[in-house]
Amino acid sequence: MRAVLTLYFLYFLHWSENTSTSVYHAFSSLCYFTPILGAAIADSWLGKFKTIIYLSLVYVLGHVIKSMGALPILGGQMLHTVLSMVGLSLIALGTGGIKPCVAAFGGDQFEEKHTEERTRFFSVFYLSINAGSLISTFVTPMLRGDVQCFGKDCYALAFGVPGLLMLIALVVFAMGSKLYRKPPPEGNILNQVVKCIWFAISSRFKNHSGDSPKREHWLDWAAEKYPKQLIMDVKALTRVLFLYIPLPMFWALLDQQGSRWTLQATRMNGNLGFFVLQPDQMQVLNPFLVLIFIPLFDLVIYRLVSKCGINFTSLRKMAVGMILACLAFAVAAAVEIKINEMAPHQPDSQEIFLQVLNLADDEVKVTVLGDENNTLLAESVKSFQNMPHYSKLHLKTKSQNFHFLLKYHNVSVYTEHSVEEKIWYTLIIREDGESISSVMVKDEENKTTNGMIAMRFVNTLHEEVNVSLGTDASLIVGEDYGVSAYRTVQRGEYPAVHCRTQNEDFSLNLGLLDFGAIYLFVITNRTNQGPQAWKMEYIPANKMSIAWQLPQYALVTAGEVMFSVTGLEFSYSQAPSSMKSVLQAAWLLTVAVGNIIVLIVAQFSGLVQWAEFILFSCLLLVVCLIFSIMGYYYVPLKPRDVQGSTDKQTPKIQGNMINLETKKTRL
């Protein structure tokens, strides 16, 4: 569902790019905050199985409401926004509630002696998630773009189908109920953990005078009130939580595939020759590469590294994953710089861009009158000549009047037009009896996005033309050099666009309209074959192929496989048996914090996009260094070892029991 979410915000709710990015990451963040609630419900009340069942129903309800909010006929903008926010909130509650339970519930099906099988399970678990993601990331944009709902992109279908599939998945999961091992809830573990930590901290500060014997660990100050097993479990938990502190920065980079990288793809050409990719379909690369990389890493790379005598621990794998993500964003920055180089330059303050469109039957010489009577173009503009570029004109103020001298045959025509800074203009010259006249029109300011095409029409006929572009409404072009508004359409071939005047119907061949281009079509009747469309490309199509995003996707996916899959299994293996869901929730919480980092940077950094990519890459490199130092001093702890140490009988010795407990903890 997230594959089309950013584009839904942009083109259905008409939000800005920064607002769309921020809300996307706010939603992603909420999806990873709610696992704390799901873990608490599972561990203290319902157990993992029932929590998955009940909160999946909330999940499905959220999709239904989200789909309703994407129906154009249902209310206006405000209602769509409200329904979307309610739907996304329910989806966040549902997905967050089941996230910590699903992985931990899968791990519960294995006994402690099946460590290798459990490790393989987490790889297959992650593999299956990405298999679903591969299909949906490819299909959902097709449901959005290839199916029309009420003359527009069908976001309602794109949100509704995942909800239906979630319902089917829930039924299949529930059918296996009798086959599962279902450990009962352990009580309100999260509450006990918080109280134990708070009691230890408060006891430590109450006894800061030094009268009480020193304790080996700060959590030992809770020994007067809480059982030893709980204290040892909390110690194991806090050691892992401390290691999680640097992790959010990795997720800040990884989750930008659905926001910043998708927006980058909208300014690239999706034509791969054998297939045409929509910008939001590029995300399909991530799950596709995950399906390839997980077996490749598990069966080939990790085994080769092991044969070389290198102890490639979980924490080392995660550190290498961070470095790969750094490289991915460095590549993304390089691609962004190249896209900017190919994009048309924008007019600065006290500047305009102007081009001349000569629709008269002979050439016209155009001169700008002013302080220095500049010839706008070195040569005369021929009739229906395709202009290679815009000319830059400087203004003395933010807006002013420009005087033009037009020389046509033996006639000189003086004309005046008012212009404003930072705008693109076209000066249209037309026949006016034996003479000529001109009209100045504002052009689209190079703001086509989502790979869409913008077009407008100039009608030289003596009657109004109604153009049907297959969208929600027809485009009406006034008679006698009337200029239409802009209309955006999907990329593709348009060999026969139906047009209608009061007296006749005819078709126009517009040819191929390519990604990101802006076109002007002049409807003329200069031949005996009926009205024709003369085509002019204002802004050229996106030149850089979307295939250039492949290296950055390959690097970040390799990093994800090394970081995320390893971290998922590491979180389970390092968690005390009573706190599996809690530690899974804490792992997911790092994802939430990562999305908040992106939200803050998107709203407040003010950086150009390539500089923002470099910033993220450098930040993760620093964090990777910190994490590597922390990981160097971390000693992996197995839950059965913790349990084993408490099972041993403690000899009854009179005297200072605190020292005995210290030695036991050390053991």
Side-chain angles (χ1 to χ4, degrees):
M1 186 275 291
R2 289 198 308 172
V4 298
L5 195 56
T6 301
L7 301 183
Y8 169 76
F9 292 150
L10 271 171
Y11 306 117
F12 192 88
L13 297 182
H14 305 294
W15 292 349
S16 69
E17 284 194 5
N18 279 341
T19 302
S20 300
T21 299
S22 297
V23 175
Y24 174 90
H25 285 285
F27 166 68
S28 297
S29 181
L30 186 60
C31 289
Y32 290 98
F33 268 120
T34 47
I36 294 291
L37 178 62
I41 292 172
D43 282 346
S44 62
W45 181 24
L46 294 176
K48 300 183 189 72
F49 179 77
K50 287 184 178 178
T51 303
I52 294 170
I53 293 291
Y54 295 151
L55 288 180
S56 290
L57 293 172
V58 175
Y59 203 150
V60 173
L61 178 63
H63 268 285
V64 171
I65 295 174
K66 187 80 182 74
S67 187
M68 290 170 61
L71 288 171
I73 60 169
L74 192 64
Q77 171 102 3
M78 180 58 70
L79 183 61
H80 292 152
T81 304
V82 170
L83 287 174
S84 295
M85 293 304 102
V86 171
L88 287 176
S89 299
L90 290 174
I91 291 169
L93 176 61
T95 185
I98 70 172
K99 273 183 193 297
C101 302
V102 172
F105 187 68
D108 285 343
Q109 309 310 307
F110 299 88
E111 296 177 12
E112 235 6 274
K113 61 185 178 184
H114 298 142
T115 307
E116 188 177 337
E117 289 81 359
R118 188 181 63 206
T119 301
R120 191 172 298 120
F121 159 74
F122 280 109
S123 289
V124 175
F125 172 69
Y126 206 80
L127 198 74
S128 62
I129 288 174
N130 282 277
S133 183
L134 172 66
I135 299 166
S136 62
T137 309
F138 190 78
V139 172
T140 309
M142 293 173 68
L143 295 176
R144 169 193 64 79
D146 296 350
V147 180
Q148 293 285 304
C149 295
F150 310 101
K152 296 183 178 180
D153 282 357
C154 200
Y155 288 102
L157 191 64
F159 294 139
V161 169
L164 176 62
L165 296 178
M166 182 65 200
L167 183 62
I168 295 170
L170 177 59
V171 172
V172 173
F173 175 72
M175 286 169 62
S177 175
K178 293 181 180 179
L179 303 174
Y180 306 138
R181 291 176 62 195
K182 302 175 188 173
E186 301 270 355
N188 198 338
I189 295 296
L190 190 61
N191 188 39
Q192 289 181 48
V193 169
V194 173
K195 285 183 176 180
C196 179
I197 292 173
W198 176 252
F199 184 81
I201 294 172
S202 58
S203 296
R204 175 69 185 85
F205 280 101
K206 285 177 185 175
N207 296 284
H208 67 280
S209 59
D211 297 337
S212 301
K214 290 186 177 180
R215 316 276 171 114
E216 182 74 17
H217 193 281
W218 62 273
L219 276 167
D220 290 331
W221 289 96
E224 284 82 358
K225 184 174 180 181
Y226 291 94
K228 305 169 196 139
Q229 183 60 49
L230 177 65
I231 293 172
M232 295 189 73
D233 286 354
V234 175
K235 284 180 184 178
L237 182 69
T238 53
R239 288 171 74 247
V240 180
L241 291 180
F242 177 69
L243 204 59
Y244 281 0
I245 293 173
L247 303 189
M249 186 52 69
F250 176 85
W251 300 113
L253 275 68
L254 185 69
D255 280 357
Q256 289 190 56
Q257 294 173 78
S259 56
R260 292 302 197 195
W261 285 15
T262 298
L263 293 174
Q264 184 186 68
T266 63
R267 294 180 291 122
M268 304 178 79
N269 195 312
N271 185 10
L272 301 177
F274 56 91
F275 191 78
V276 178
L277 270 180
Q278 296 299 325
D280 43 352
Q281 282 180 321
M282 195 60 185
Q283 295 173 63
V284 81
L285 264 178
N286 176 252
F288 175 71
L289 290 173
V290 165
L291 295 181
I292 296 173
F293 285 169
I294 285 182
L296 178 66
F297 277 74
D298 278 353
L299 303 177
V300 181
I301 295 176
Y302 292 157
R303 292 186 180 185
L304 286 176
V305 170
S306 179
K307 286 185 181 296
C308 292
I310 300 172
N311 183 17
F312 209 22
T313 63
S314 296
L315 297 180
R316 287 175 181 172
K317 291 176 186 175
M318 292 168 71
V320 173
M322 287 181 172
I323 293 171
L324 290 172
C326 290
L327 294 174
F329 266 68
V331 172
V335 170
E336 187 71 22
I337 291 169
K338 194 65 180 174
I339 291 172
N340 291 341
E341 287 176 358
M342 292 183 171
H345 295 293
Q346 298 296 316
D348 293 327
S349 298
Q350 296 187 356
E351 285 182 356
I352 64 165
F353 284 171
L354 177 70
Q355 71 170 353
V356 178
L357 176 60
N358 180 14
L359 302 183
D361 61 356
D362 203 353
E363 63 182 31
V364 177
K365 184 82 171 179
V366 181
T367 305
V368 182
L369 302 177
D371 295 336
E372 313 170 352
N373 290 345
N374 295 323
T375 301
L376 188 61
L377 298 165
E379 299 176 358
S380 298
V381 183
K382 295 182 173 55
S383 177
F384 285 84
Q385 178 181 338
N386 251 316
M387 300 305 295
H389 57 79
Y390 282 81
S391 300
K392 183 191 295 184
L393 295 179
H394 295 277
L395 312 183
K396 295 178 180 178
T397 58
K398 290 186 177 181
S399 62
Q400 72 178 64
N401 291 338
F402 265 110
H403 300 270
F404 297 91
L405 171 61
L406 310 178
K407 291 186 177 179
Y408 168 73
H409 294 164
N410 296 321
V411 178
S412 294
V413 176
Y414 292 90
T415 182
E416 178 182 348
H417 297 287
S418 178
V419 296
E420 298 175 5
E421 65 175 2
K422 298 183 179 180
I423 304 290
W424 304 60
Y425 289 97
T426 295
L427 182 68
I428 299 176
I429 300 170
R430 62 188 186 184
E431 293 181 21
D432 191 359
E434 296 295 321
S435 184
I436 55 172
S437 60
S438 65
V439 61
M440 184 81 81
V441 295
K442 288 183 181 180
D443 293 338
E444 184 80 9
E445 299 176 26
N446 190 31
K447 288 184 179 176
T448 56
T449 47
N450 188 22
M452 298 287 280
I453 291 94
M455 62 166 72
R456 75 187 332 174
F457 291 85
V458 176
N459 178 21
T460 65
L461 307 181
H462 298 304
E463 50 186 339
E464 185 178 270
V465 177
N466 190 307
V467 183
S468 299
L469 292 169
T471 53
D472 52 336
S474 299
L475 191 63
I476 297 174
V477 195
E479 72 273 13
D480 294 324
Y481 298 94
V483 182
S484 75
Y486 274 102
R487 183 60 49 86
T488 56
V489 294
Q490 295 278 0
R491 185 255 185 207
E493 292 276 356
Y494 290 81
V497 173
H498 182 259
C499 301
R500 187 176 70 255
T501 64
Q502 190 172 1
N503 298 318
E504 66 172 328
D505 287 10
F506 58 92
S507 294
L508 296 177
N509 180 9
L510 305 186
L512 173 66
L513 307 185
D514 213 352
F515 285 104
I518 302 178
Y519 297 98
L520 172 74
F521 292 97
V522 180
I523 303 173
T524 65
N525 197 5
R526 299 189 298 169
T527 65
N528 296 327
Q529 299 175 356
Q532 305 287 317
W534 177 78
K535 182 178 179 180
M536 178 177 174
E537 196 176 65
Y538 271 172
I539 300 295
N542 300 339
K543 295 184 179 68
M544 194 162 183
S545 172
I546 204 168
W548 283 103
Q549 280 196 324
L550 181 59
Q552 67 200 55
Y553 271 98
L555 284 167
V556 84
T557 305
E560 179 186 359
V561 168
M562 298 191 75
F563 183 92
S564 189
V565 179
T566 307
L568 200 64
E569 197 275 332
F570 177 81
S571 296
Y572 188 89
S573 66
Q574 296 297 293
S577 59
S578 60
M579 300 181 187
K580 299 296 186 186
S581 294
V582 172
L583 200 54
Q584 288 291 321
W587 169 258
L588 295 168
L589 196 62
T590 63
V591 184
V593 178
N595 279 278
I596 288 177
I597 292 171
V598 182
L599 192 155
I600 293 169
V601 172
Q603 284 294 328
F604 302 111
S605 72
L607 296 172
V608 293
Q609 192 56 66
W610 67 265
E612 188 178 292
F613 286 156
I614 293 291
L615 172 65
F616 276 113
S617 183
C618 293
L619 285 174
L620 184 57
L621 195 60
V622 173
V623 166
C624 179
L625 181 62
I626 296 169
F627 177 76
S628 299
I629 295 170
M630 293 168 65
Y632 179 78
Y633 291 102
Y634 181 83
V635 180
L637 193 66
K638 296 180 180 178
R640 63 172 178 268
D641 294 337
V642 179
Q643 188 65 41
S645 67
T646 58
D647 289 341
K648 294 178 181 178
Q649 290 298 318
T650 305
K652 297 185 179 179
I653 301 174
Q654 297 296 324
N656 191 342
M657 291 299 291
I658 298 299
N659 289 339
L660 177 61
E661 292 307 315
T662 300
K663 289 177 184 176
K664 182 181 164 191
T665 304
R666 198 175 281 169
L667 174 64

